[in-house]
Amino acid sequence: MLNDWIKKRRAEKQVRKPDFTRIKTGVNKDFGPKKRGRRAYTALRRPEVPDDCCIKCDTCGRTLFLLEIRENLYRCPKCGAYFMFPAKRRIRMLADAGSFEPMDTELAFVNPLDFPGYAEKVAAQQEKYGIDEAVLTGRCRIDGLGAVLAVCDGRFIMSSMGHNVGEKLTRAIELATREKLALIIYCCSGGARMQEGMISLMQMAKTAAALKRHHDAGLLYISVLTNPTTGGVTASFAMLGDIILAEPNALIGFAGPRVIEQTIGQKLPEGFQRAEFLLSHGFVDAIAPREEQKALLARLIRLHNGAAGRRAFHRHAAAQQEKEDFAESPALPVQSREDPWETVKASRKTGRPRALSYIRLLFEDFTELHGDRLFGEDPAMVAGLAFFEGLPVTVIAQQKGSNLQENQKRNFGMPRPEGYRKALRLIREAESFGRPIVCFVDTPGAYPGMDSEERGQGEAIAACLRELSGVSVPVLSIVLSEGGSGGALALAVANQVWMLEQATYSILSPEGFASILYKDAKRAKEAAAVMKITAADLKRLGVIEEIIAEYGGACGETLPQIAGEIRRRMRCFLKEALSLSGEELAAQRYERFRKM
């Protein structure tokens, strides 16, 4: 009877036992009794998670839930590394809800080489990822602003560029050109699609030609480089943006790392070909984290909408003019120093506010852009886009440091050739989009190092002089402290040049002048007296138009007052300059220097 009861209880327990057949359970070798030589199974250990629920981070090695990654914009919540972002999810992240209108979703399949198995591979990828090709294109709105958006999906045959990818991109570019819309392409690719041979390679030329027409129409193209962007895509549409952004740590390069290592027989350094590497070498404007991209793209589109900006500026200027007419304040007296050497010393004080301090007070939404697209990034030259009372402007400034450490980083405000070429790139971009240019001069001179000469310092400065002389937009230059030699003049070919009250603007330093003409650098004070380098002297000579009062000396306390005076005068200058045509502005600038 006892045996019957035990059997009954065992049967009841078996019925109540949870059903674990739908998940994989681990075999516990170390826990629980063994019966009849068979290993005991237990549900006490943590079950294995199905493969489609987790993913391993290649950077930190941790296993993460896919749901957690998706909620974090496909970034590792532990180390911040970026995972490949599906194109559809990226579009939902960027485009306003319901605004994306896809285009060219049913292009006929192309197999120019009749490559065996290619059609089956494409069909399998289409079924797996639910997209027709490695790029999705369409019209959308970003923060209410119209744009054409193309997003590459790296999962689809590594987003390699075949005929249909090139065709979809070219049609998207042509649509943006036709409808005068900004174009945004999210680039991701392993390069050309080998199964299509030379037809794949031809897509590089096709997309580049379409982008040339878009650029010539004066329209904005923003390229966003994601991980990885390599091969023929890098050598075509990816690197042709008016603005080039990159996601953190994205692999970007023409030849892949393995190809380079095999070719040169060397191990590549840490961080080579990553986004930060390209930023420091002048090929990327900015690194853009995913959570900031939509706001940044919307701001860049607005900064390139000159017509809307001019309307906003004129409304603001009219309102400000009414206020000033109602409560007109007397002009501030400018007190020039009697001793030019004292002005030289005042201009060199480390406590004087630098260009970025004025930029923060004068402009809204300043967006700094980096690099010359040729060699490197120069911290001594700051350049970017901003709004001045609603008007998009290009801002270019020579930047000194406020202490020794910052001065070393900024090379004491002495730009190298890549700094002037960065300025040149922004000057040309301003011309294309009709943006006024505001320059801040603050340099003892261009950097006279051997590396500067090797990279063509003279040519870089000369190119700035030539380009500024002929642009069809207003140009204003303000000398903040020291304006030394041709390095300063490179940013001072303007419709008007202003100087702060205790700034200097000279052919070279008084020490250099005395050394050359008097053969004695100790006679710098004497040289300063005969060089006519103060604001008052230069205004009498007709070299500058305006002197900005310093309220007893430029410093942190007087900075808001000085910036307020600059703002008032800048508003008047821009209001008048914007009433002139491009030809009139260029002619005015030419005549200004022709009579000197």
Side-chain angles (χ1 to χ4, degrees):
M1 185 178 294
L2 180 60
N3 288 336
D4 292 340
W5 182 83
I6 291 173
K7 288 179 181 179
K8 182 180 177 181
R9 294 291 295 171
R10 284 178 177 171
E12 290 174 352
K13 288 181 178 179
Q14 189 66 30
V15 171
R16 294 197 303 267
K17 184 177 180 180
D19 183 8
F20 294 107
T21 59
R22 294 187 180 182
I23 62 173
K24 302 174 184 178
T25 57
V27 177
N28 192 345
K29 299 179 181 179
D30 304 318
F31 184 81
K34 293 183 180 179
K35 295 186 179 181
R36 296 187 179 90
R38 291 161 51 184
R39 290 177 297 182
Y41 286 77
T42 177
L44 295 177
R45 293 176 67 102
R46 182 178 178 180
E48 295 177 6
V49 181
D51 293 338
D52 60 349
C53 289
C54 284
I55 191 171
K56 184 178 180 180
C57 177
D58 292 334
T59 303
C60 66
R62 291 177 176 158
T63 301
L64 307 162
F65 287 105
L66 275 175
L67 180 62
E68 187 179 19
I69 293 169
R70 287 170 182 155
E71 290 175 348
N72 199 37
L73 296 178
Y74 281 78
R75 292 175 307 171
C76 176
K78 305 297 182 183
C79 68
Y82 279 49
F83 292 93
M84 201 166 283
F85 209 175
K88 288 183 177 179
R89 290 185 178 273
R90 194 183 288 277
I91 289 169
R92 286 200 293 271
M93 179 189 83
L94 296 170
D96 295 348
S99 69
F100 185 75
E101 302 172 17
M103 56 186 290
D104 303 313
T105 57
E106 296 181 356
L107 291 182
F109 172 72
V110 175
N111 190 358
L113 304 185
D114 293 324
F115 195 86
Y118 180 39
E120 292 77 8
K121 182 170 186 176
V122 170
Q125 295 278 291
Q126 290 173 338
E127 182 179 355
K128 182 176 181 180
Y129 298 118
I131 54 179
D132 65 303
E133 249 300 348
V135 64
L136 301 183
T137 60
R139 186 193 288 106
C140 73
R141 301 191 76 79
I142 298 176
D143 199 18
L145 303 166
V148 171
L149 179 63
V151 178
C152 295
D153 195 318
R155 303 171 304 165
F156 196 107
I157 317 181
M158 276 305 295
S159 193
S160 52
M161 183 164 64
H163 169 272
N164 281 5
V165 170
E167 184 65 20
K168 291 185 73 171
L169 284 169
T170 302
R171 292 187 185 188
I173 298 165
E174 290 171 345
L175 173 67
T177 306
R178 221 170 27 248
E179 300 193 3
K180 300 188 183 304
L181 293 172
L183 171 70
I184 301 167
I185 300 181
Y186 271 77
C187 309
C188 176
S189 180
R193 191 167 293 180
M194 298 301 164
Q195 295 90 335
E196 295 188 20
M198 283 300 290
I199 296 301
S200 173
L201 198 68
M202 294 302 104
Q203 307 312 307
M204 295 169 60
K206 182 165 77 176
T207 53
L211 285 171
K212 177 68 167 65
R213 294 189 172 194
H214 186 265
H215 174 79
D216 290 345
L219 299 169
L220 173 64
Y221 166 39
I222 302 174
S223 174
V224 186
L225 312 181
T226 68
N227 185 52
T229 301
T230 59
V233 168
T234 303
S236 58
F237 64 86
M239 300 303 290
L240 292 176
D242 298 296
I243 306 292
I244 300 179
L245 308 176
E247 289 195 329
N249 204 40
L251 175 66
I252 304 163
F254 177 59
R258 282 182 298 177
V259 173
I260 297 173
E261 289 182 340
Q262 291 170 2
T263 302
I264 66 176
Q266 297 177 15
K267 184 72 175 174
L268 297 177
E270 187 71 24
F272 182 76
Q273 288 187 311
R274 294 293 172 176
E276 293 74 13
F277 175 88
L278 268 75
L279 180 69
S280 65
H281 284 74
F283 296 103
V284 169
D285 283 293
I287 306 291
R290 277 184 184 158
E291 66 274 14
E292 299 175 8
Q293 287 173 16
K294 181 173 182 177
L296 177 58
L297 291 173
R299 184 164 72 248
L300 287 170
I301 293 172
R302 288 191 177 94
L303 283 165
H304 288 79
N305 190 343
R310 291 189 181 208
R311 289 193 296 269
F313 170 74
H314 285 303
R315 287 195 301 269
H316 189 280
Q320 287 298 122
Q321 187 64 48
E322 288 182 9
K323 291 180 182 179
E324 290 175 4
D325 290 342
F326 182 74
E328 189 172 345
S329 56
L332 293 166
V334 175
Q335 299 175 352
S336 58
R337 293 174 178 267
E338 295 181 1
D339 187 351
W341 183 243
E342 291 300 315
T343 302
V344 171
K345 291 194 293 184
S347 71
R348 295 175 177 176
K349 283 184 178 178
T350 56
R352 286 180 72 86
R354 302 305 178 193
L356 279 172
S357 299
Y358 289 98
I359 290 171
R360 294 186 189 105
L361 288 177
L362 289 169
F363 304 103
E364 302 84 44
D365 290 334
F366 175 67
T367 304
E368 186 175 357
L369 305 178
H370 299 270
D372 64 349
R373 302 275 177 91
L374 294 169
F375 176 82
E377 160 64 8
D378 187 356
M381 188 77 78
V382 173
L385 314 178
F387 291 106
F388 177 77
E389 299 183 352
L391 177 69
V393 296
T394 293
V395 182
I396 305 171
Q398 291 154 338
Q399 176 70 16
K400 290 182 181 177
S402 56
N403 53 49
L404 179 60
Q405 184 178 5
E406 192 177 341
N407 261 322
Q408 289 174 334
K409 175 187 173 183
R410 302 283 183 181
N411 199 34
F412 294 85
M414 294 185 289
R416 292 179 167 86
E418 49 269 27
Y420 290 106
R421 292 189 176 114
K422 173 169 63 174
L424 184 63
R425 180 171 74 86
L426 268 291
I427 291 166
R428 289 169 174 163
E429 213 247 5
E431 169 85 345
S432 296
F433 292 95
R435 276 194 308 271
I437 300 171
V438 180
C439 299
F440 293 96
V441 176
D442 190 3
T443 180
Y447 182 62
M450 188 170 71
D451 56 341
S452 292
E453 294 300 320
E454 290 172 344
R455 296 197 292 274
Q457 184 74 287
E459 187 277 338
I461 293 172
C464 285
L465 298 177
R466 179 183 61 192
E467 206 72 20
L468 277 176
S469 70
V471 292
S472 58
V473 296
V475 183
L476 171 66
S477 292
I478 305 172
V479 183
L480 299 177
S481 294
E482 286 184 282
S485 192
L489 181 62
L491 297 188
V493 180
N495 294 89
Q496 288 192 20
V497 178
W498 304 346
M499 285 179 67
L500 264 63
E501 180 184 349
Q502 296 177 19
T504 61
Y505 189 18
S506 60
I507 187 171
L508 77 169
S509 68
E511 291 86 350
F513 187 96
S515 179
I516 292 172
L517 291 185
Y518 301 152
K519 313 301 182 187
D520 184 1
K522 294 179 180 179
R523 298 175 63 182
K525 182 176 180 179
E526 181 182 347
V530 301
M531 290 174 69
K532 307 297 184 187
I533 60 177
T534 66
D537 287 332
L538 292 171
K539 188 174 182 181
R540 283 193 292 269
L541 290 172
V543 174
I544 68 168
E545 280 74 23
E546 299 278 353
I547 301 175
I548 308 297
E550 292 192 11
Y551 299 87
C555 62
E557 293 180 358
T558 59
L559 174 62
Q561 295 170 289
I562 299 172
E565 179 66 12
I566 293 175
R567 175 183 287 275
R568 184 183 67 79
R569 298 193 189 199
M570 193 183 297
R571 186 187 306 122
C572 296
F573 166 78
L574 289 171
K575 185 178 177 182
E576 181 180 343
L578 290 173
S579 66
L580 302 176
S581 67
E583 293 77 10
E584 289 172 326
L585 287 165
Q588 182 191 83
R589 205 175 306 118
Y590 181 81
E591 290 303 321
R592 180 183 185 278
F593 288 91
R594 179 66 181 84
K595 66 185 181 183
M596 290 187 184

